[in-house]
Amino acid sequence: MSLAQQIERRRTFAIISHPDAGKTTLTEKLLLFGGAIQAAGEVKARGERRRARSDWMKVEQERGISVASSVMTFDYLERTFNLLDTPGHEDFSEDTYRTLSAVDSAVMVLDAAKGIETQTRKLFEVCRLRDMPIATFINKMDRETKDPFELLDEVEQTLALDVAPASWPIGMGRDFKGCYDLIHDQLILFDRGKGDSISESIKCQGLDDPKLDELLPDYAVEKLRTDVEMVRELCPQFNLKDYLEGTLTPVFFGSAVNNFGVQELLAGLADFAPRPRAGKALERQVAPDEGKVTAFVFKIQANMDPKHRDRIAFVRVVSGRFKKGIKMKHVRSGKTLAIHNAQLFLAQDRAVAEEAYPGDIIGLPNHGNLRIGDTLTEGEMIRFTGVPSFAPEILQKVRPEDPMKAKHLGRALEQLAEEGAARVFKPALGSDWVVGVVGPLQFDVLADRIRTEYEVPCRFEATSLMTAEWVEGDPREIKKFSDQNRASMAVDHAGAPVYLARNNWHLDKAKDDFPSLKFLKTKEEV
Ligand code: GDP
């Protein structure tokens, strides 16, 4: 297959949702279509096996949340889908945000009884910043739900997104009969309890087709006809351009646990979801069909096996045909790496990547030389942008239980900072480290990982610090500023100066005193 054909067939996407809306269940069902798993429950079972093996994920096990995100590749309808999984819990959303920088589109899953929830909204905002195309799956139609019109209205009003129903539900809860596929004019009947099989669709000649009257109770057909009439009056028709620009979302109704409506969603993605986009580098745009391979790191994950300190860098291929053994330039260090052991993430297992194409995600085992945001090329000195960095919102001090282990702790923190698991600051005065995270649960995970992976039992303690801001500007000014504010200065893991502010007044004063300096809440990881 030519490079162009490989690009054409790829669809790289993520699912965004509020916890419990049904993301895991939908993922399982999608993989079923790809033949990637044999039975439902496999995704969870796999997760549990993995968890059982890894000590450091005890925290996750105890709290029943998923910390690690992964990649699943499967083929269906002559497409290769790369589904990037994202942790649902909000404390781990940094990972989610970075994952979103590596996909071309998203599927937004809503619980039909709840509509838009807080986490859906947050994640949607990130997608919006990138003008990312979004397909919507309204799940759990087999339960009592909100009125479908109300749900559409909610999406439109709260997200300012046009909605174009791709299917329309017939009843709900105990009376849920199925959906009418508005794109292909077909009826899909709901068969309760057939979660692992695929519902058959019945081709219809429009909504007046007498077949509908035969197959559905009178009241249901009547309601379907009036509903669809209203839908056609009230909602715009699906059009590709608006979807691709991220201003319109096709809406599918279904029930993931019953594997209902999932096939229609997947067929929709095969049909209209965007193929791999161009990469944005500081220097220029990189088109996927350029001959040379380029790629960027969007996530680092420590190996599941705590005995090994290896990490996997998750790398999105932007352009070219990646082949095993290829020599890639690591732009930040200028070093050349020969890549023999890249991994592909097949749903069932990992395999060594012989080849990979734009849109694909490969895993590169490394010992810490690859960092989030890094660019790999065949020699060109370009740097991809867009992998976000987050302002640390909560700051705590950390110290080892055994004071002799301070150095070990420092090394562990440095590695975790490189991995993107936390921001780590070394104050100019004193021997403690300050760690910044977005969600408080991250401290528990960090403490657990430092204890099990690095064998340094440690304690996190509250601080009176409000915020940490990176200081940029003329080096002489920075020096002057640092000298005057030694008690509040620190450096991050890469040695960049950071100001630790106790309160707003403190921060404002610093800014007033040194108007030429920039105070930044985040640092772009380029
Ligand atoms: P996640 O937190 O978004 O990954 O949600 P899960 O996939 O784990 O689903 C949360 C709960 O909703 C589980 O108990 C699922 O069995 C259930 N669920 C998922 N899809 C459906 C559905 O279509 N109908 C019903 N009734 N329950 C569902």
Side-chain angles (χ1 to χ4, degrees):
M1 239 187 278
S2 70
L3 177 59
Q5 284 168 319
Q6 292 284 7
I7 294 169
E8 180 61 40
R9 66 179 278 138
R10 276 179 170 66
R11 300 287 184 271
T12 301
F13 72 105
I15 301 178
I16 60 171
S17 64
H18 191 85
D20 251 16
K23 189 178 63 174
T24 311
T25 312
L26 180 63
T27 302
E28 277 174 17
K29 303 302 173 182
L30 289 170
L31 294 179
L32 216 58
F33 284 96
I37 49 172
Q38 302 313 318
E42 189 69 11
V43 174
K44 250 187 197 134
R46 194 173 55 113
E48 270 152 26
R49 270 203 304 280
R50 197 170 58 196
R51 252 168 266 163
R53 259 195 277 133
S54 60
D55 223 352
W56 70 263
M57 285 177 124
K58 256 194 247 139
V59 177
E60 169 186 24
Q61 220 169 4
E62 280 160 16
R63 300 189 190 250
I65 45 175
S66 160
V67 181
S69 70
S70 56
V71 180
M72 284 154 279
T73 298
F74 60 96
D75 285 347
Y76 182 68
L77 290 177
E78 299 185 5
R79 299 274 181 254
T80 296
F81 290 93
N82 296 307
L83 168 53
L84 276 57
D85 188 24
T86 52
H89 194 284
E90 64 179 315
D91 280 357
F92 302 98
S93 52
E94 290 188 66
D95 227 24
T96 306
Y97 292 135
R98 294 201 184 109
T99 295
L100 290 174
S101 72
V103 299
D104 301 304
S105 75
V107 170
M108 175 168 74
V109 179
L110 304 182
D111 181 328
K114 298 194 174 139
I116 307 276
E117 297 175 84
T118 48
Q119 194 69 358
T120 340
R121 212 198 144 103
K122 268 199 192 169
L123 292 164
F124 171 80
E125 295 301 339
V126 182
C127 295
R128 160 141 298 164
L129 284 175
R130 300 168 185 276
D131 298 323
M132 196 186 286
I134 296 178
T136 301
F137 185 79
I138 298 189
N139 189 30
K140 307 197 188 182
M141 289 306 296
D142 60 315
R143 292 236 189 115
E144 289 306 307
T145 71
K146 289 190 181 181
D147 180 78
F149 283 105
E150 197 187 318
L151 286 163
L152 293 182
D153 198 48
E154 201 175 315
V155 174
E156 197 174 355
Q157 297 297 321
T158 53
L159 306 183
L161 186 65
D162 284 341
V163 286
S167 65
W168 194 256
I170 306 165
M172 61 147 119
R174 261 190 280 162
D175 285 331
F176 184 53
K177 301 275 185 277
C179 280
Y180 190 81
D181 175 343
L182 294 164
I183 297 181
H184 306 97
D185 261 320
Q186 53 191 6
L187 177 68
I188 308 124
L189 287 173
F190 178 58
D191 205 351
R192 203 173 286 270
K194 288 239 175 114
D196 296 340
S197 60
I198 297 167
S199 327
E200 262 182 65
S201 51
I202 298 154
K203 189 82 202 153
C204 297
Q205 304 296 323
L207 279 159
D208 295 328
D209 196 321
K211 253 189 259 168
L212 290 174
D213 302 279
E214 279 165 39
L215 292 164
L216 294 169
D218 287 350
Y219 74 90
V221 194
E222 207 170 301
K223 179 151 185 354
L224 172 66
R225 286 180 179 139
T226 45
D227 276 3
V228 171
E229 205 172 307
M230 256 170 82
V231 167
R232 289 190 169 143
E233 245 168 61
L234 294 172
C235 301
Q237 262 203 323
F238 176 74
N239 82 78
L240 193 59
K241 183 170 166 288
D242 292 351
Y243 161 71
L244 291 177
E245 285 174 359
T247 61
L248 173 145
T249 181
V251 180
F252 297 83
F253 291 86
S255 167
V257 79
N258 292 294
N259 199 12
F260 185 83
V262 179
Q263 186 178 25
E264 288 67 32
L265 171 69
L266 195 53
L269 295 178
D271 206 20
F272 51 67
R275 68 197 69 151
R277 64 183 142 79
K280 278 201 191 89
L282 282 177
E283 297 76 8
R284 67 184 189 88
Q285 285 240 350
V286 180
D289 58 359
E290 289 185 18
K292 295 251 165 77
V293 177
T294 61
F296 66 88
V297 179
F298 64 93
K299 173 186 163 66
I300 305 272
Q301 194 169 310
N303 204 309
M304 298 297 173
D305 183 350
K307 296 279 177 308
H308 295 99
R309 297 274 168 80
D310 281 10
R311 301 119 177 246
I312 301 269
F314 287 71
V315 175
R316 157 130 183 174
V317 179
V318 175
S319 67
R321 184 190 289 263
F322 171 93
K323 282 206 174 111
K324 188 180 156 187
I326 192 172
K327 290 202 171 63
M328 303 281 309
K329 186 174 210 88
H330 178 230
V331 173
R332 186 168 50 78
S333 68
K335 289 191 181 130
T336 301
L337 318 168
I339 299 176
H340 294 285
N341 56 352
Q343 301 186 1
L344 276 186
F345 303 92
L346 306 171
Q348 274 155 321
D349 224 334
R350 293 187 189 170
V352 171
E354 298 292 332
E355 289 193 337
Y357 298 91
D360 284 347
I361 310 300
I362 52 177
L364 301 184
N366 71 98
H367 295 288
N369 50 336
L370 294 177
R371 292 189 192 165
I372 291 169
D374 280 357
T375 300
L376 297 168
T377 69
E378 286 194 62
E380 193 181 349
M381 298 300 277
I382 52 171
R383 284 161 297 162
F384 286 114
T385 59
V387 180
S389 176
F390 291 88
E393 285 175 19
I394 317 166
L395 299 163
Q396 291 202 346
K397 268 199 261 188
V398 57
R399 62 166 67 117
E401 280 177 14
D402 174 359
M404 302 299 284
K405 290 228 171 177
K407 251 205 188 115
H408 291 87
L409 175 64
R411 217 169 303 139
L413 290 169
E414 217 163 90
Q415 293 199 3
L416 290 165
E418 283 169 8
E419 191 184 304
R423 306 288 169 278
V424 171
F425 309 109
K426 181 83 185 101
L429 303 177
S431 58
D432 292 334
W433 296 77
V434 172
V435 175
V437 298
V438 178
L441 264 180
Q442 276 174 285
F443 287 124
D444 297 0
V445 176
L446 287 170
D448 198 59
R449 287 189 59 185
I450 294 169
R451 182 173 53 77
T452 54
E453 284 176 43
Y454 300 91
E455 289 160 16
V456 187
C458 64
R459 249 196 310 255
F460 282 88
E461 285 165 25
T463 65
S464 55
L465 298 169
M466 179 194 74
T467 186
E469 301 207 353
W470 279 266
V471 185
E472 287 187 359
D474 180 65
R476 274 170 311 187
E477 276 294 288
I478 294 183
K479 166 119 195 0
K480 202 164 128 203
F481 178 74
S482 303
D483 289 346
Q484 283 185 19
N485 293 282
R486 262 182 82 71
S488 303
M489 290 307 293
V491 288
D492 73 2
H493 68 280
V498 173
Y499 181 66
L500 302 173
R502 288 190 303 275
N503 51 44
N504 269 325
W505 179 83
H506 194 194
L507 181 65
D508 289 342
K509 179 161 186 325
K511 288 179 181 172
D512 285 348
D513 289 350
F514 286 81
S516 72
L517 294 179
K518 269 197 266 179
F519 290 81
L520 306 170
K521 279 188 181 308
T522 66
K523 200 167 162 58
E524 261 292 311
E525 294 178 80
V526 285

